[in-house]
């Protein structure tokens, strides 16, 4: 009954994990005889490694949330100057014609300090977003994985990553929206406000609580596809790097080597994230600048060409950001000695069903 499944599974580019299936002395894959025992012992040593908490415990989720706060809050704040120029290019392309022109005009008008406009709402907003994004991702990944069962969680792991990240980002954007709205007002409306303390009461006085949440829907349009790409692409890229590029299993890599793989996979994921989410990012920037506009009105006015303004700046920013975020997040896991499961391997029960073992 599984004859139709096996050929499809073998066509998967991530198929054929590098291990041996041995039963009754029959070797199914040609590898050195010592490899299975060595890798089993390494796996056992890894399992015996002392962790600060159990995988899936409340402490595990809380510390993952801390990692999210540091990874998103610090990195987004670090690139505020580039983000400011990118937003200004989106809302006023006639004045800010390119990245370098945007920096030049901004420094000429506001001085070097003007490049840091919006750092406070950026730090607060993206720290809150990171807390929810990474913390809830771990929650939903484990929850959905348990619902699917071991075999389906492996077969449908890309869908699992997509569903878990989309669910997490839904809540993360609600946490981000108020500070994102304030940030864009500060950065793109000259004379409106120079600080968060000036912007918040002014926004509330003009439009009430709606001023802080009218950008939630466009944020979902921008951030949910971005996060789905960010997590699913990262997870599968890590899996592919260890399988096809890294010359040894992850269990034999040092923590430093593992973090290098994390950084490379994060940058690759970041490039795709920037492309997928850029049109919605343009809409958010314009929407938070203008009063009384809707997302559909802004989208129609910008047109196909307009929504891609500032893409190169965003690729540089998001690629670097995503790589650093994953690097910081994984470093936090290492520092707090959190469980870090290796790339997924096919369950033994599924190997039997696919005829890979006797």
């Amino acid at each position: 009954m599984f004859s139709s499944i096996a050929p499809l599974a073998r066509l998967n580019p991530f198929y054929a994990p590098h291990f041996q299936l041995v039963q009754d002395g029959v070797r199914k894959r040609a590898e050195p005889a010592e490899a299975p025992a060595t890798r089993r012992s390494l796996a056992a040593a890894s399992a015996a490694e002392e962790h600060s908490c159990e995988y899936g415990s409340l402490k595990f989720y809380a510390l993952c949330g801390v990692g999210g706060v540091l990874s998103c809050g610090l990195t987004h704040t670090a690139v505020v100057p580039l983000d400011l120029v990118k937003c200004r290019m989106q809302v006023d392309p006639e004045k800010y014609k390119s990245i370098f022109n945007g920096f030049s005009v901004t420094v000429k008008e506001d001085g070097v300090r003007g490049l840091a406009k919006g750092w406070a709402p950026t730090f607060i907003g993206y720290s809150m977003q990171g807390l929810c994004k990474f913390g809830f991702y771990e929650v939903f990944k484990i929850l959905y994985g348990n619902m699917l069962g071991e075999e389906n969680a492996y077969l449908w792991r890309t869908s699992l990553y997509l569903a878990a990240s989309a669910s997490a980002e839904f809540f993360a954007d609600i946490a981000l929206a108020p500070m994102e709205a304030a940030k864009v007002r500060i950065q793109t409306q000259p004379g409106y406000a120079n600080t968060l303390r000036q912007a918040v009461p002014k926004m509330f006085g003009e439009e009430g609580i709606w001023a802080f949440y009218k950008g939630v829907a466009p944020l979902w349009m921008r951030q949910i596809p971005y996060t789905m790409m960010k997590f699913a692409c990262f997870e599968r890229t890590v899996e592919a790097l260890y399988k096809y590029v890294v010359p040894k299993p992850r269990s034999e890599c040092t923590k430093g080597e593992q973090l290098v793989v994390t950084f490379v996979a994060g940058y690759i994921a970041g490039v795709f994230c920037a492309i997928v989410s850029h049109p919605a990012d343009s809409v958010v920037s314009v929407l938070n600048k203008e009063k009384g506009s809707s997302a559909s009105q802004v989208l129609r006015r910008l047109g196909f060409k307009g929504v891609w303004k500032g893409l190169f700046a965003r690729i540089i920013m998001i690629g670097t950001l995503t790589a650093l975020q994953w690097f910081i997040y994984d470093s936090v896991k290492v520092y707090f000695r959190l469980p870090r499961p290796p790339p997924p391997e096919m369950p033994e029960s599924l190997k039997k069903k696919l005829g890979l073992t006797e």
Side-chain angles (χ1 to χ4, degrees):
M1 64 182 288
F2 296 100
S3 58
S4 61
I5 301 177
L8 291 174
R10 293 187 180 97
L11 290 174
N12 181 351
F14 296 102
Y15 172 73
H18 293 288
F19 50 72
Q20 292 180 330
L21 306 177
V22 180
Q23 183 168 348
D24 298 327
V26 179
R27 194 179 309 282
K28 293 294 183 182
R29 291 178 61 89
E31 287 190 358
E34 296 79 16
T38 303
R39 293 182 183 177
R40 279 196 296 271
S41 63
L42 286 166
S46 177
E49 180 183 347
E50 185 182 353
H51 297 302
S52 62
C53 59
E54 291 184 9
Y55 183 65
S57 65
L58 287 177
K59 183 178 179 181
F60 173 79
Y61 294 136
L63 290 175
C64 286
V66 170
V69 167
L70 294 175
S71 66
C72 290
L74 295 178
T75 53
H76 277 278
T77 305
V79 295
V80 160
L82 185 59
D83 183 47
L84 179 143
V85 172
K86 182 265 301 178
C87 288
R88 290 183 173 182
M89 287 172 61
Q90 290 171 329
V91 302
D92 195 353
E94 295 299 320
K95 183 176 181 180
Y96 303 95
K97 297 180 175 61
S98 66
I99 298 175
F100 300 109
N101 174 256
F103 273 105
S104 176
V105 172
T106 300
V107 171
K108 191 176 296 183
E109 292 183 347
D110 302 325
V112 176
R113 292 184 64 183
L115 293 171
K117 271 190 174 181
W119 74 267
T122 297
F123 177 72
I124 296 170
Y126 282 94
S127 293
M128 294 295 294
Q129 187 212 36
L131 173 70
C132 298
K133 183 197 301 249
F134 283 92
F136 283 146
Y137 174 71
E138 299 288 357
V139 172
F140 285 116
K141 185 169 74 168
I142 293 174
L143 175 65
Y144 295 159
N146 290 339
M147 290 170 61
L148 287 171
E150 186 182 28
E151 293 181 6
N152 287 330
Y154 174 81
L155 289 172
W156 298 94
R157 58 194 182 282
T158 302
S159 299
L160 173 63
Y161 304 145
L162 292 171
S165 56
S167 301
E169 190 59 38
F170 177 85
F171 296 101
D173 289 342
I174 296 173
L176 169 64
M179 293 296 102
E180 178 74 1
K183 174 187 78 78
V184 173
R185 293 285 183 94
I186 293 169
Q187 291 181 337
T188 62
Q189 290 186 312
Y192 184 84
N194 290 320
T195 66
L196 181 61
R197 285 182 294 179
Q198 293 174 351
V200 169
K202 193 170 182 179
M203 292 170 64
F204 186 78
E206 291 175 348
E207 301 179 67
I209 196 70
W210 176 242
F212 301 102
Y213 287 100
K214 71 176 184 178
V216 169
L219 267 179
W220 283 330
M221 289 166 54
R222 180 187 81 184
Q223 291 296 133
I224 289 179
Y226 162 85
T227 301
M228 292 170 72
M229 181 66 72
K230 175 179 180 174
F231 283 85
C233 184
F234 172 79
E235 297 268 20
R236 293 310 298 260
T237 302
V238 166
E239 189 177 336
L241 288 175
Y242 279 114
K243 184 176 174 108
Y244 298 111
V245 179
V246 180
K248 54 187 176 182
R250 198 189 84 156
S251 57
E252 296 178 13
C253 296
T254 65
K255 292 291 192 295
E257 290 170 338
Q258 292 176 22
L259 290 174
V260 169
V261 173
T262 295
F263 184 85
V264 172
Y267 211 103
I268 293 170
V271 172
F272 289 101
C273 289
I275 296 170
V276 165
S277 63
H278 190 74
D281 181 65
S282 298
V283 173
V284 170
S285 295
V286 176
L287 187 66
N288 281 316
K289 179 191 174 186
E290 300 177 354
K291 299 177 185 176
S293 296
S294 67
S296 58
Q297 290 171 339
V298 171
L299 188 59
R300 283 197 298 270
R301 189 167 69 255
L302 288 175
F304 179 80
K305 187 177 180 181
V307 297
W308 295 105
K309 280 282 185 180
L311 177 60
F312 181 66
R314 185 167 169 79
I315 285 176
I316 296 172
M317 183 180 78
I318 296 301
T320 306
L321 271 179
T322 306
L324 288 174
Q325 284 175 5
W326 278 114
F327 183 84
I328 292 170
Y329 182 64
D330 218 21
S331 296
V332 169
K333 282 188 169 183
V334 169
Y335 178 79
F336 285 114
R337 295 181 290 107
L338 298 183
R340 298 164 63 241
E345 291 187 353
M346 187 179 292
E348 289 296 328
S349 57
L350 189 58
K351 293 174 191 174
K352 292 180 180 179
K353 289 179 180 179
L354 296 177
L356 301 177
T357 185
E358 297 294 332

